[in-house]
Amino acid sequence: MELPKHYDSKEAEPKWQNYWVKEKIFAFDPDSDKKIFSVDTPPPTVSGKMHIGHAFMYSQMDFIARYKRMNGFNLFYPFGTDDNGLATERLIEKMKGVKGSKMDRSEFAKLCLDTLEKELRPEYLADWKRIGISCDWNIFYTTLDEHSQRISQRMFLDLVKQKRVERKFSPITFCPVCQTAIAQVEMEDVEKTTELVYVKGKVETGEFIIYATTRPELHPSCVGVSIDEAGDYVSVGLENGEKWIISKDACETMQEEFGFKVLETYKGKKIVGKKVDIAFAPLPVPITHDISVKTEYGTGVVYYCTYGGLDCVEWMARHTDVEAINIMDFTGRYCVGPYKGMHSDEARKGAVEDLEKQNFLVKKESMDHTSNVHERCGTPIEYVATEQWFIKYLDLKKDFLKRGNELKWYPAHMKNRYDNWIKGLQWDWCISRQRFSGIPFPVWYDKEGTPIFADEKDLPVDPLKDLPKGYKKGEVVGEKDVIDTWATSSLTPQLAAELFKDKPVFKKLLPMDLRPQAHDIITFWLFNTVVRSHLHDNRLPWKDVMISGWALDPRGKKMSKSKGDVVEPQKVIEQYSADGLRFWSAASKLGDDLAYQEKDLVTGEKFITKLWNASKFALMHLEDYSGKKPKQLEAVDAWILSRMSSIVKSATASFEKYEYSKARAELDVFFWHDFCDQYLEIVKDRLYNPDVRGKAERESAQYALYETLLAVLKLMAPIMPHITEEIYHLFFASKEKCKSIHISSWPTLDMVDAKSDALGALAVFAVTQARKAKTEKNLSLKEPIVSLALKGKVSKKDFETIKDDIMAATKAEEIVYDVLDSKSEIDYESDVQI
RNA sequence: GGGCCCAUGGUUUAGCGGCUAUAACGUCGCCCUUACAAGGCGAAUGUCACCGGUUCAAUUCCGGUUGGGCCCACCA
């Protein structure tokens, strides 16, 4: 058999991708008895093109999927897209020139679904197909369609039944200029200089407690003052007779400026409970202890307003007996106190002036800090309290930690991030969003404002259009808020599995076997999914999680559009190949970030070329291969089969632990050096010249060649699915009677043999020494060797079994072999006479 | 500030108690060798970040320092 001179990945890759679809190679068989391996593929957001990070992570996921498939598993390997988020919404608004908020909700949702289905998704998915992801593309879901809406709403109702959801007042981030609620992704950090003002609060003892703030305009909503009960505080006396309370740390920095005398030092605990009159606040507030207070910041005293920022929100969560004074409403203006009707800037000026006039101001200083602004208009965000839906789960932290321990983490250290996150959790999970599109809450309110929940049978519902059973128009008001996208995408195992709800196989799909994902979303996506599965089904969503790293720019930093160093996978594939891209993705250890280096793609391409050429050589000599195992295996053939067997064993072990990179590296070295450089060169003579070397000797080589090349192809198939399929089809497919290497059986070669290893190593040594001698004399490798003296630790009798092969490979005219003492420090010795 | 990861020839990396520290890219020299010049053979290049400790023995284990990366919190 003669292979074409070159392998053309541009032609071959799409060809095989089409073949796999046409032949249903990756189709899940719901009726099969084979063991299922299920993958909870994280659905990417359709917000443009697939980026290199996606290509990196999804390739790594696919290595495992393909490995499992070859190990006889019936793969449940769905693909979904997360179309529920803001990014998609924005993209469609831009494309269609519409404003979602000005449209009817269900009309906008329909527009989104249509645009996604007809225009965006096919092109987007083509990128995934082009890197050779072996999902069953018929098992597809979108987090926005009826199927997902029904499940998401049903799960919400399930939580209602369990009394795990509640509606309560809570602040949301809000842009006072755009007058809209904004999500975290819409905010950006801005570094700016602000004025930090130090203010006096009158304590019931007659002393003043000093606190610093950048938001003095919030004074009318001050609800508390906190200190650190374990920290050191001091009372100091000023010349004018005033006594101030500040932390000991603050005292040291302020003493010079104010020239006060320290009267008393004590622990913060001493002043806890004392009442303080705060300027413009309606009521005196007690001094409390709070864990967030550090004596080394400011004056070691913090005042909390509702709401000045996330710190205030968290403080409120810890001080549940305190009632909030909501100082701002959705007009973006203050609604209580002396600055009623004003925006923040105006109010701040007024507040500083008033504090100064009324002698509450201690000092002003400027400071730099980062604050959150709305990325669209640059306005600093505000916090406005409104009613929100929450999933109550803070009481379950221990259970979540336990679930984390039950989960098998690859790599193991990634669990730390999960644990760390849970330990720091202070809020319940707010699942409502004041956005115009998304999955609606299945909730209405009656005239008293009591929620009415939809009947599960009627799902999905849109409460802005539909009515609850037994109510007429005008009797109820539908919930306008939508369910947060994470509250739906935390249900991906259910979204995928329920596509088979009516089949018996459904029971076997959950929990899933594997969740692959990158490390940046452990704290929300992974965690949220564990939470939902725990709450709804009292079990883990999956058995294993495989955490990928990130693709970084060539200097090891995050790629960014503004720096212009974004690598587009589409271009990489264009220039190199999908197999090359995947080979690169397999270069980093699971969980490790990988800096993009173009040379790695070149290495992959070279591997492809080498594999092609080596196969060309092998298949040329296998044309007349009988397929039978020879009675007598030549020593060098036994050696390569032994080495191959070792590689099969360790590569298999590596894949089992999701360590595809180790498998790749080992196979790479074996294939290139042991197989191509050494074995093929040694065995060449026997293959070409059976008349001289013997027919049986050639058949032995054919057997080794067949088995080894096939094993190499199969081990490499998960990582480079196209080139391996191409070669497989040129020869092996018909022999093995199998439609695709990807559903062929994983190699189980079990021919490890220590004696063969020793003989092979000696042969390799001899060949290497001969090459070295010729190279040193600047001679061609074809140059004959007059005499080759060789010493080793194998017996003379055993040496005879490799002697002819060595003579042929080195072009030695004579070989003299001696046995070294078994205690000798060196293993081999040689003397080459040319 | 809290947490996690990382530090090995010019670059990217393997090894994670004991061989002369692995390989690729790059560099240099040689070679058309019946698969491959998009190749082959060979060579040079490393106080394994720094300082201590444990050990007969440390690149490997422990503690600290420095430098990088990421996630979270951002601060009165």
Side-chain angles (χ1 to χ4, degrees):
Chain A
M1 143 137 344
E2 180 119 19
L3 268 67
K5 195 158 167 56
H6 295 293
Y7 165 73
D8 182 4
S9 64
K10 282 184 186 52
E11 186 228 312
E13 292 189 344
K15 176 182 80 189
W16 290 117
Q17 285 158 9
N18 290 332
Y19 175 85
W20 295 331
V21 172
K22 207 179 101 228
E23 296 293 326
K24 301 186 166 53
I25 302 297
F26 305 140
F28 171 64
D29 181 358
D31 303 317
S32 157
D33 293 334
K34 282 201 293 185
K35 262 185 91 179
I36 291 171
F37 187 83
S38 44
V39 182
D40 181 22
T41 320
T45 303
V46 181
S47 57
K49 284 182 167 182
M50 178 181 79
H51 59 72
I52 193 88
H54 281 133
F56 183 65
M57 190 232 112
Y58 284 83
S59 292
Q60 294 177 353
M61 162 184 85
D62 202 53
F63 303 153
I64 302 306
R66 286 182 187 261
Y67 165 76
K68 291 288 180 184
R69 191 181 292 112
M70 289 176 78
N71 274 274
F73 285 94
N74 181 19
L75 239 78
F76 183 73
Y77 191 14
F79 199 90
T81 53
D82 187 3
D83 302 323
N84 214 337
L86 204 68
T88 311
E89 219 168 79
R90 285 269 195 79
L91 183 68
I92 287 166
E93 283 185 333
K94 213 168 140 192
M95 278 175 73
K96 297 289 163 188
V98 297
K99 261 255 183 257
S101 51
K102 305 246 160 73
M103 287 174 76
D104 178 75
R105 182 157 84 183
S106 51
E107 248 174 63
F108 184 69
K110 195 174 172 299
L111 179 70
C112 288
L113 275 171
D114 280 355
T115 313
L116 280 162
E117 195 171 329
K118 296 197 186 107
E119 299 174 43
L120 289 168
R121 199 181 294 130
E123 199 188 324
Y124 191 60
L125 292 190
D127 281 346
W128 262 267
K129 291 178 182 169
R130 190 61 192 82
I131 57 170
I133 298 300
S134 65
C135 291
D136 181 345
W137 298 96
N138 289 317
I139 310 179
F140 180 84
Y141 62 86
T142 153
T143 55
L144 193 56
D145 67 1
E146 253 196 52
H147 170 78
S148 297
Q149 291 198 14
R150 190 176 299 118
I151 293 170
S152 187
Q153 292 188 341
R154 193 184 81 221
M155 294 305 197
F156 172 78
L157 293 177
D158 182 40
L159 294 175
V160 170
K161 246 182 267 166
Q162 293 187 38
K163 301 204 175 2
R164 275 282 159 201
V165 284
E166 71 177 348
R167 194 163 152 80
K168 63 182 182 191
F169 256 94
S170 180
I172 54 160
T173 47
F174 176 81
C175 175
V177 169
C178 306
Q179 306 228 334
T180 169
I182 52 180
Q184 197 153 14
V185 290
E186 294 175 280
M187 300 183 211
E188 61 185 16
D189 284 352
V190 170
E191 184 90 28
K192 60 176 191 180
T193 307
T194 35
E195 197 168 56
L196 181 67
V197 298
Y198 288 66
V199 185
K200 293 191 276 196
K202 189 161 191 183
V203 186
E204 56 181 309
T205 55
E207 295 158 297
F208 290 98
I209 191 160
I210 314 297
Y211 53 89
T213 178
T214 54
R215 303 281 315 261
E217 69 277 15
L218 295 172
H219 266 89
S221 68
C222 177
V223 289
V225 169
S226 285
I227 49 96
D228 175 11
E229 62 183 15
D232 290 322
Y233 286 82
V234 293
S235 284
V236 298
L238 280 88
E239 274 178 16
N240 63 6
E242 274 182 17
K243 287 182 191 165
W244 291 358
I245 299 171
I246 51 176
S247 74
K248 201 178 161 198
D249 294 328
C251 173
E252 281 160 22
T253 56
M254 290 167 74
Q255 194 154 26
E256 196 175 333
E257 185 179 347
F258 293 96
F260 44 61
K261 282 199 191 96
V262 178
L263 303 173
E264 193 187 348
T265 304
Y266 44 84
K267 292 288 173 197
K269 197 161 184 177
K270 197 188 145 194
I271 51 169
V272 168
K274 300 261 189 295
K275 293 250 163 69
V276 186
D277 261 325
I278 298 288
F280 316 124
L283 293 168
V285 298
I287 298 175
T288 48
H289 164 74
D290 191 78
I291 52 160
S292 75
V293 179
K294 305 264 182 293
T295 55
E296 61 267 33
Y297 293 118
T299 61
V301 182
V302 190
Y303 96 131
Y304 293 95
C305 306
T306 47
Y307 288 91
L310 284 178
D311 53 329
C312 300
V313 180
E314 287 180 6
W315 185 88
M316 283 296 281
R318 289 189 292 266
H319 299 256
T320 47
D321 52 329
V322 176
E323 203 137 326
I325 302 165
N326 296 313
I327 194 170
M328 184 173 277
D329 63 22
F330 284 97
T331 61
R333 294 170 191 275
Y334 290 110
C335 52
V336 293
Y339 313 111
K340 194 170 169 178
M342 294 184 190
H343 286 298
S344 279
D345 280 351
E346 202 184 339
R348 186 169 310 141
K349 276 192 206 122
V352 175
E353 278 171 26
D354 292 345
L355 286 168
E356 196 153 18
K357 247 184 259 169
Q358 297 182 28
N359 195 28
F360 281 109
L361 194 76
V362 173
K363 70 161 182 162
K364 295 187 273 190
E365 67 183 31
S366 74
M367 70 174 272
D368 297 329
H369 81 143
T370 45
S371 71
N372 284 324
V373 299
H374 188 194
E375 61 174 4
R376 216 182 305 184
C377 64
T379 314
I381 55 144
E382 300 280 2
Y383 295 82
V384 177
T386 178
E387 293 231 77
Q388 303 286 347
W389 287 100
F390 282 87
I391 295 179
K392 284 189 289 183
Y393 66 11
L394 283 181
D395 57 317
L396 299 175
K397 279 166 121 178
K398 268 193 192 146
D399 299 73
F400 299 150
L401 288 170
K402 223 174 97 197
R403 290 287 179 212
N405 289 331
E406 290 166 23
L407 199 54
K408 284 205 205 103
W409 296 79
Y410 299 90
H413 68 81
M414 291 294 180
K415 188 171 92 72
N416 293 326
R417 296 198 189 194
Y418 173 91
D419 289 349
N420 209 27
W421 174 257
I422 293 173
K423 284 174 191 155
L425 263 187
Q426 294 190 15
W427 282 13
D428 283 323
W429 181 7
C430 179
I431 54 163
S432 48
R433 286 293 178 273
Q434 290 65 46
R435 281 182 29 232
F436 42 88
S437 106
I439 298 183
F441 280 92
V443 178
W444 297 263
Y445 303 96
D446 66 12
K447 288 203 171 116
E448 280 78 47
T450 312
I452 302 160
F453 296 100
D455 196 309
E456 204 182 304
K457 289 195 292 288
D458 302 329
L459 301 179
V461 296
D462 180 355
L464 295 188
K465 270 181 130 178
D466 306 323
L467 286 170
K469 225 174 253 148
Y471 287 87
K472 285 197 208 90
K473 218 175 167 185
E475 290 179 341
V476 294
V477 182
E479 171 65 270
K480 281 204 288 285
D481 290 359
V482 295
I483 299 175
D484 178 29
T485 178
W486 293 110
T488 301
S489 49
S490 58
L491 296 168
T492 51
Q494 290 88 337
L495 295 182
E498 289 202 18
L499 292 168
F500 290 83
K501 205 171 170 51
D502 304 326
K503 299 243 180 192
V505 75
F506 176 59
K507 289 197 303 287
K508 293 196 249 171
L509 294 177
L510 296 173
M512 293 216 186
D513 290 293
L514 176 67
R515 165 53 165 268
Q517 62 159 73
H519 55 49
D520 55 329
I521 51 173
I522 289 174
T523 53
F524 40 117
W525 206 339
L526 189 153
F527 170 65
N528 289 342
T529 310
V530 170
V531 166
R532 297 305 288 277
S533 190
H534 177 79
L535 291 176
H536 297 296
D537 303 322
N538 194 27
R539 66 180 171 206
L540 281 172
W542 343 269
K543 296 180 189 114
D544 296 359
V545 287
M546 147 179 186
I547 309 289
S548 300
W550 273 25
L552 304 174
D553 74 13
R555 282 154 301 155
K557 305 235 162 125
K558 239 182 185 173
M559 287 183 193
S560 77
K561 274 188 194 153
S562 57
K563 273 190 280 172
D565 58 2
V566 173
V567 176
E568 290 176 34
Q570 296 81 3
K571 287 191 181 152
V572 175
I573 292 173
E574 177 73 20
Q575 193 181 346
Y576 298 96
S577 60
D579 281 345
L581 181 65
R582 294 171 64 108
F583 190 79
W584 165 73
S585 304
S588 93
K589 241 190 298 189
L590 181 64
D592 276 10
D593 296 340
L594 180 63
Y596 178 86
Q597 308 275 345
E598 191 154 3
K599 69 182 170 71
D600 294 336
L601 272 300
V602 176
T603 308
E605 283 303 281
K606 282 186 175 178
F607 187 91
I608 291 171
T609 305
K610 191 74 177 175
L611 191 57
W612 182 257
N613 286 320
S615 300
K616 212 157 82 177
F617 171 83
L619 300 191
M620 187 167 86
H621 293 286
L622 284 173
E623 214 165 351
D624 59 340
Y625 172 53
S626 66
K628 278 188 227 125
K629 188 173 178 177
K631 283 192 196 85
Q632 179 69 44
L633 204 53
E634 289 293 305
V636 169
D637 301 332
W639 163 70
I640 199 70
L641 287 164
S642 170
R643 287 281 302 128
M644 186 75 248
S645 300
S646 301
I647 298 295
V648 166
K649 260 194 195 133
S650 61
T652 305
S654 296
F655 269 113
E656 281 298 320
K657 290 181 278 179
Y658 304 110
E659 288 172 3
Y660 51 80
S661 63
K662 222 170 146 187
R664 193 213 87 166
E666 270 184 326
L667 181 63
D668 191 351
V669 173
F670 166 80
F671 167 71
W672 209 285
H673 298 299
D674 291 345
F675 185 66
C676 292
D677 295 345
Q678 311 297 352
Y679 179 71
L680 291 185
E681 291 304 327
I682 294 173
V683 86
K684 227 173 221 178
D685 187 59
R686 250 196 290 138
L687 285 166
Y688 275 113
N689 306 309
D691 304 343
V692 185
R693 303 292 305 279
K695 197 163 163 275
E697 283 75 2
R698 178 160 183 271
E699 281 166 2
S700 169
Q702 284 179 312
Y703 172 77
L705 210 50
Y706 182 96
E707 293 297 332
T708 311
L709 181 61
L710 182 57
V712 166
L713 289 173
K714 286 186 172 187
L715 292 185
M716 206 59 192
I719 293 170
M720 292 187 147
H722 307 91
I723 176 79
T724 51
E725 184 79 305
E726 177 88 18
I727 298 167
Y728 188 76
H729 274 265
L730 285 168
F731 185 71
F732 297 99
S734 60
K735 299 266 177 197
E736 283 210 319
K737 298 191 176 51
C738 183
K739 277 201 294 190
S740 166
I741 191 169
H742 302 295
I743 49 172
S744 73
S745 60
W746 189 250
T748 51
L749 213 55
D750 189 17
M751 300 177 74
V752 178
D753 176 47
K755 190 171 161 189
S756 300
D757 286 345
L759 282 167
L762 179 58
V764 167
F765 172 77
V767 171
T768 305
Q769 292 305 110
R771 284 171 178 162
K772 203 169 181 174
K774 289 175 191 177
T775 299
E776 274 163 10
K777 294 207 161 92
N778 290 355
L779 292 170
S780 156
L781 292 180
K782 252 189 345 194
E783 200 70 27
I785 287 171
V786 178
S787 173
L788 176 62
L790 206 55
K791 286 181 187 171
K793 285 180 177 170
V794 304
S795 72
K796 278 202 169 170
K797 193 179 154 217
D798 286 337
F799 181 76
E800 287 301 312
T801 65
I802 56 172
K803 188 177 172 187
D804 289 350
D805 280 343
I806 294 176
M807 284 183 89
T810 59
K811 313 265 184 235
E813 280 152 3
E814 179 198 50
I815 296 186
V816 184
Y817 179 74
D818 277 313
V819 180
L820 278 170
D821 188 276
S822 63
K823 284 181 207 132
S824 159
E825 276 184 24
I826 48 166
D827 288 327
Y828 320 103
E829 217 181 293
S830 70
D831 183 24
V832 186
Q833 305 277 327
I834 304 172

